[in-house]
Amino acid sequence: MFSQTRSKFLGYIFIIFIFYCTGCDSQKKKEIDLTELTYVPSGILGLPDLPVPKNNPQSADKVSLGAKLYSDKRFSLDGTVSCATCHNPEQAFVDKLKVSKGIKNFTGTRNAPTVLNAAYYKTQFWDGRRKDLEGQSKDPLLNPVEHGLSSHDDLIKIVKADPDYSARFKTVFGVDSDSIHIDHVALAIASFERTIISGNSPFDRYRFGKEEKALSESAIRGLALYMGKARCQDCHTIGETNAIFTDDKFHNLGVGFKRIQPKLEEILQKKAESKTGPTSDEEILTNLESSELGRFAVTGINEDLGAFKTPGLRNIALTSPYMHDGSLASLEQVIDLYDRGGETNPFLSSGIRPLGLTGQEKADLVSFLKSLTSPVLPKMPK
């Protein structure tokens, strides 16, 4: 039945894919090449070496500049929103809301993911529509439900008029005030965000530090379930010497898909007829139907329908609510979702199936997830 339903949409999907490929090629020509990386030792138990673009090396001055830009509410239409509004350093770099609030209390369609360890991800945003932190940092500034600026020039005018910013950009990038560009801003913010990393949790001390008493008996049982019966390891990967807890892939769990499934044929037909490239940042955060398409809105590939990025799990106990739409309030609800095999839909990822967990096993998994909390989280530089 599902295969028949899936084939029903393939004609629309093929047409959309052709236009998406064209759009992607055009976009690539405009982007700064940040793909060549160097790897810097993190110095934190459980974390791998930190990937840093060769075209954006870390420096103390650049990180400090990025932190100031990250916290500056002037970079929003009404002066009320900064990056730190939705990615609050005092709340594990999230806002604790189902979906974030921007200027004028406008709400979008997505839950704010934490910045913690985002430096390790191969793509950014729930649908991976940006491949690096530099690219990600520029989009919310122009989104009408986030910062709401009319263009990046609005921000640049503020920066150029601020003597402290002018001096800092001169020090970091060697540019005079008139030459400051939005890409300089993005490079600085990304450098700051690469310092927002955390490990050394009880799990790390147990797994990588060989401290046998670092985990409770319940958490140890939870780890065994995680690696085995509960199949968490398939996507939230733990390595031999470190762990980021993500496969950097996209999966359809069915969360939120019922919002679009009854109208999916109509939605795909409209997108095929629109003959446009990948869905814009603005449309994803202002149009619930486009949002629920997930990774498909970026790639136009049918396997990506309703699929969202595997999030990392470090400090997961501090970053509720969960899922791309913030629809699950607790870790217990998340475990229940996986235990019943996700939410049934024609595009459910093949590895998602009922687990048959007992009540004790669910409790042990929650204990394990809580062991991923770092004792100290990064702070804003003074």
Side-chain angles (χ1 to χ4, degrees), residues 327-369:
S327 58
L328 301 184
S330 67
L331 292 174
E332 286 79 4
Q333 290 180 351
V334 174
I335 298 298
D336 283 340
L337 169 74
Y338 282 101
D339 185 49
R340 63 177 178 268
E343 302 294 349
T344 302
N345 73 90
F347 300 93
L348 188 70
S349 291
S350 58
I352 305 301
R353 65 195 67 163
L355 300 173
L357 298 171
T358 67
Q360 182 61 57
E361 288 172 335
K362 293 179 182 180
D364 291 340
L365 278 169
V366 171
S367 293
F368 170 68
L369 293 174

Side-chain angles (χ1 to χ4, degrees), residues 293-318:
L293 293 174
R295 179 66 172 167
F296 177 86
V298 180
T299 66
I301 299 173
N302 61 314
E303 286 83 359
D304 290 335
L305 266 168
F308 292 88
K309 187 172 71 175
T310 306
L313 298 181
R314 290 188 174 279
N315 301 293
I316 191 70
L318 307 178

